Amino acid sequence: MRRFLIAGNWKMNTTRQSAVALAGELATAGSNYEAGVEILVCPPYPYLIPVAEKLSGSAVQLGAQDVYFEAPGAFTGEVAVEMLKDCRCRFVILGHSERRHVLGESDEIINRKLRAAISGGLQVVLCVGELLSERQAGQTEEVLDRQMQGGLSGVAEADAANVVIAYEPVWAIGTGVTATPEQAESAHEHLRNWLATRYTPGFSENVLILYGGSVKADNAESLLGQANVDGALVGGASLKSSTFVPIIEAARKLSART
Ligand code: PEP
């Protein structure tokens, strides 16, 4: 049975002090959620170490928001997989819509990062999702297929086992507009079928597919209650424990029911 994963993407937010305080609150809350619900936080790079220290011994896992695909060397401004491992990261988010659409990352770059991350021992949250114009043009599935194909190009099933997919419709990220549970489920089912065809049905059944896009306490249960929604990637609402913990709590309630 798939577990729930509730991930917080802090983006370029928090200070060292607020990041450590938030990590401390989540570490305390996380001790109640060991069965069936995993928690992940992804702070900005400079706060990975103090947050890792605060999370030490807790059930809350640590991830980064990006990584570079080359080994350490002359790549000014970049961060290598080994460095994230050294900071106790277990996960890295790749292909987030802000990296695709603000920073211009291609599927090819995302794929190079993904392969480097996995071969270096990180788990990857691979984000895919369509623009509003693409949804309105009826191209959602085509876009998802292209991003999945590009991101997972050359990745064998054994390595793909280290990938979590996050379906994040771009029009729902940070906008307050959420996909309906039906829209989310339809995209997630499509992604799971894609994985079954690209790999095997047995493999596909075990892949976690998170939903992201304005997830909040009041919509979490209906989204997480969908058959193919295995968790959430949360931006804005992950910045305070008072808004993030209720999302974790919604997952816990649903996992206790199954
Ligand atoms: C995100 O950044 O991945 C995200 C889903 O943001 P928000 O929850 O703020 O829409």
Side-chain angles (χ1 to χ4, degrees):
M1 210 194 74
R2 298 189 297 268
R3 64 198 189 278
F4 281 111
L5 173 64
I6 307 296
N9 173 13
W10 295 358
K11 309 195 187 189
M12 199 170 73
N13 291 301
T14 67
T15 61
R16 186 172 57 180
Q17 199 183 18
S18 68
V20 170
L22 178 55
E25 288 163 18
L26 296 176
T28 306
S31 56
N32 301 322
Y33 297 110
E34 272 151 43
V37 183
E38 282 187 35
I39 308 167
L40 167 67
V41 293
C42 301
Y45 286 141
Y47 307 143
L48 285 172
I49 292 174
V51 167
E53 283 165 358
K54 198 70 185 179
L55 294 178
S56 178
S58 85
V60 181
Q61 306 185 79
L62 184 67
Q65 300 172 19
D66 190 32
V67 73
Y68 197 52
F69 48 75
E70 293 285 1
F75 301 100
T76 302
E78 295 296 340
V79 172
V81 172
E82 288 89 328
M83 295 170 180
L84 296 186
K85 296 268 296 177
D86 202 16
C87 295
R88 298 187 229 163
C89 285
R90 292 189 52 194
F91 283 84
V92 62
I93 298 172
L94 292 176
H96 190 277
S97 81
E98 287 143 22
R99 297 218 59 93
R100 290 178 188 270
H101 300 294
V102 180
L103 295 148
E105 276 190 18
S106 63
D107 285 317
E108 192 200 333
I109 295 283
I110 294 161
N111 176 249
R112 291 181 75 179
K113 291 181 171 184
L114 183 142
R115 286 188 286 134
I118 291 174
S119 63
L122 289 172
Q123 295 186 58
V124 171
V125 178
L126 172 63
C127 302
V128 294
E130 80 287 0
L131 298 164
L132 182 59
S133 56
E134 292 166 335
R135 172 164 283 267
Q136 286 168 339
Q139 295 166 345
T140 299
E141 293 185 353
E142 189 186 314
V143 171
L144 296 182
D145 292 354
R146 190 177 63 236
Q147 293 177 346
M148 292 288 282
Q149 183 59 49
L152 291 169
S153 174
V155 179
E157 185 170 302
D159 287 334
N162 294 304
V163 177
V164 169
I165 306 296
Y167 170 60
E168 296 210 309
V170 180
W171 46 272
I173 298 178
T175 58
V177 178
T178 315
T180 64
E182 295 72 27
Q183 286 172 322
E185 173 59 15
S186 156
H188 283 227
E189 190 180 20
H190 178 79
L191 290 166
R192 201 172 302 284
N193 289 338
W194 187 93
L195 288 163
T197 307
R198 166 73 170 79
Y199 297 105
T200 57
F203 169 80
S204 161
E205 273 310 303
N206 289 318
V207 176
L208 297 186
I209 307 180
L210 315 184
Y211 168 78
S214 298
V215 176
K216 298 194 170 47
D218 59 6
N219 57 29
E221 196 169 337
S222 58
L223 288 160
L224 296 172
Q226 301 301 307
N228 285 291
V229 178
D230 307 312
L233 179 56
V234 185
S238 72
L239 293 172
K240 285 187 189 152
S241 59
S242 61
T243 48
F244 193 51
V245 170
I247 298 170
I248 303 168
E249 180 59 26
R252 190 196 60 78
K253 266 206 247 158
L254 288 163
S255 92
R257 252 186 243 163
T258 48

